[in-house]
Amino acid sequence: GQNIDQPTEMTATEGAIVQINCTYQTSGFNGLFWYQQHAGEAPTFLSYNVLDGLEEKGRFSSFLSRSKGYSYLLLKELQMKDSASYLCAVLDSNYQLIWGAGTKLIIKP
Amino acid sequence: DVKVTQSSRYLVKRTGEKVFLECVQDMDHENMFWYRQDPGLGLRLIYFSYDVKMKEKGDIPEGYSVSREKKERFSLILESASTNQTSMYLCASSVGTGDTGELFFGEGSRLTVL
């Protein structure tokens, strides 16, 4: 079966760095997405990786290793507004999105 | 900015009632999707549509139907609501063929079935 694994919850301190991991086992691979979802709000797009390596976008970076079935989202200089759930999703060989359950990130002052 | 609007943020219905959830997008997107979101589970696809009057079943279509009479509007219908359909329902759209698949979501409709 197809599976996306990410930690259920993580806690970090304001100003610090946090890495949210995502491992996947899917039938084929056509890209990996990260979305951010604040409580009670719509998920919003953060990043898309289809090639191996690190993509940096401001305070957020996303890394992909296709051979390892692994990605991470790196958040630097954490702010209180970064408290949210982070959703990992993989586009499989049929171009269907397979979603992880999300990681709830709690930022403490 | 793309805007995806869902008609109701919160609904409370009784078992057996017919429920309509409406979704409208304003960016001429080809693709529209309905997901449900439950605690501890990833988003699960109910139905999707790549064109007007076209619909495809997702992973969990049982108990649901959809309608896409106009390009901008995608409706989710629960013919006879049941308590196990209590959930957050998310509508999304994406550009269409050849795009990366980035989804634009509405803010969700939280449905409680009593």
Side-chain angles (χ1 to χ4, degrees):
Chain A
Q2 307 204 90
N3 195 50
I4 310 281
D5 283 319
Q6 45 180 139
T8 303
E9 187 174 295
M10 299 181 70
T11 302
T13 305
E14 191 176 15
I17 298 172
V18 70
Q19 178 175 309
I20 302 173
N21 295 326
C22 171
T23 58
Y24 63 89
Q25 291 177 303
T26 57
S27 55
F29 179 85
N30 281 298
L32 184 144
F33 293 84
W34 284 97
Y35 285 81
Q36 180 190 58
Q37 186 178 24
H38 287 101
E41 297 184 11
T44 54
F45 171 81
L46 287 177
S47 66
Y48 170 70
N49 294 66
V50 66
L51 299 176
D52 289 350
L54 186 69
E55 298 263 352
E56 298 187 70
K57 195 184 293 185
R59 294 188 299 114
F60 291 14
S61 302
S62 57
F63 171 83
L64 175 67
S65 169
R66 288 173 297 172
S67 63
K68 295 182 179 179
Y70 169 68
S71 173
Y72 67 72
L73 182 68
L74 191 72
L75 291 72
K76 301 177 185 176
E77 302 168 17
L78 285 170
Q79 302 175 9
M80 297 303 293
K81 68 178 181 179
D82 297 330
S83 291
S85 289
Y86 292 86
L87 313 181
C88 174
V90 171
L91 205 58
D92 72 8
S93 57
N94 294 320
Y95 289 90
Q96 299 300 314
L97 271 175
I98 312 300
W99 293 84
T103 299
K104 183 178 181 180
L105 178 62
I106 299 167
I107 308 297
K108 296 187 174 180
Chain B
D1 283 349
V2 175
K3 191 165 179 63
V4 180
T5 304
Q6 295 185 226
S7 54
S8 305
R9 292 295 303 273
Y10 301 94
L11 304 94
V12 179
K13 298 292 182 181
R14 296 202 174 274
T15 301
E17 280 192 84
K18 193 168 186 176
V19 182
F20 291 89
L21 300 178
E22 302 282 337
C23 175
V24 178
Q25 50 93 5
D26 65 0
M27 284 299 291
D28 202 35
H29 282 177
E30 301 287 337
N31 306 331
M32 296 190 75
F33 307 83
W34 275 106
Y35 286 94
R36 62 178 284 176
Q37 185 175 35
D38 298 291
L41 298 177
L43 294 179
R44 291 183 291 169
L45 183 62
I46 303 171
Y47 269 96
F48 60 100
S49 170
Y50 289 152
D51 200 355
V52 176
K53 296 193 184 293
M54 176 269 180
K55 59 186 178 185
E56 292 283 347
K57 292 181 180 179
D59 299 318
I60 52 165
E62 296 79 17
Y64 304 94
S65 61
V66 290
S67 172
R68 193 166 182 201
E69 295 296 318
K70 294 184 178 181
K71 189 175 186 180
E72 67 270 20
R73 187 180 297 270
F74 193 36
S75 303
L76 180 69
I77 302 149
L78 288 67
E79 293 288 342
S80 178
S82 62
T83 54
N84 63 11
Q85 292 178 310
T86 292
S87 187
M88 171 69 84
Y89 290 88
L90 290 169
C91 175
S93 70
S94 67
V95 172
T97 303
D99 73 325
T100 62
E102 177 188 346
L103 294 176
F104 297 85
F105 285 89
E107 292 201 337
S109 299
R110 183 167 293 282
L111 172 66
T112 301
V113 182
L114 302 175

